Amino acid sequence: MRMNHLGLPVRDPQRSVRFYHAYFGFDPATARRYSDGTVIVRDADGFDLALHAVEAVDALPAFLHFGFRLAQPDDVRTLLRRLEADAVEVIERYDDPEYTAFKCLDPDAHRVEVYWEPS
């Protein structure tokens, strides 16, 4: 058994599709829009993001986040540099021998972690 989708409230599903495509590999060609305004987009591993259109996204608890594990610490650093160059807000960063990570905010202020740690 494995987790295979995440539902997020978003103000603009197409903007979120562009963000998750640009930085996290979700394929806009897989996007399907449903009658309730939800857009579901899939990555290469078959993980689905269900982006549900809302007028406002409520404030979330500070710890609430979801993450993407990368194969190497340099992969984390490279993505961090891209996000910073594109002025995406980075709210945490760590670069230790046993844990390299950062958290950024998506367009609706959902906290997204990108990390590497030894297996």
Side-chain angles (χ1 to χ4, degrees):
M1 180 184 313
R2 82 186 226 338
M3 190 166 122
N4 63 5
H5 81 270
L6 174 68
L8 297 174
V10 299
R11 289 170 291 159
D12 181 342
Q14 291 309 320
R15 177 181 64 184
S16 293
V17 167
R18 289 189 301 273
F19 178 84
Y20 286 100
H21 168 67
Y23 303 111
F24 301 103
F26 285 83
D27 183 358
T30 67
R32 290 185 55 195
R33 178 176 294 277
Y34 293 84
S35 60
D36 68 352
T38 300
V39 173
I40 296 181
V41 62
R42 180 169 291 152
D43 73 7
D45 294 323
F47 189 88
D48 294 336
L49 275 180
L51 305 166
H52 183 72
V54 297
E55 288 194 26
V57 176
D58 296 331
L60 302 169
F63 182 75
L64 184 62
H65 67 280
F66 56 95
F68 296 89
R69 184 178 191 157
L70 297 181
Q72 299 295 325
D74 281 340
D75 297 337
V76 175
R77 295 179 192 113
T78 298
L79 182 54
L80 175 59
R81 285 191 296 272
R82 276 187 59 214
L83 288 159
E84 289 176 325
D86 291 345
V88 173
E89 187 175 355
V90 175
I91 57 171
E92 291 179 32
R93 61 187 81 221
Y94 306 92
D95 201 343
D96 299 320
E98 298 295 318
Y99 181 68
T100 302
F102 66 86
K103 287 182 185 157
C104 67
L105 299 179
D106 82 354
D108 291 286
H110 297 293
R111 291 170 190 84
V112 183
E113 181 176 21
V114 177
Y115 69 101
W116 166 86
E117 61 187 352
S119 297

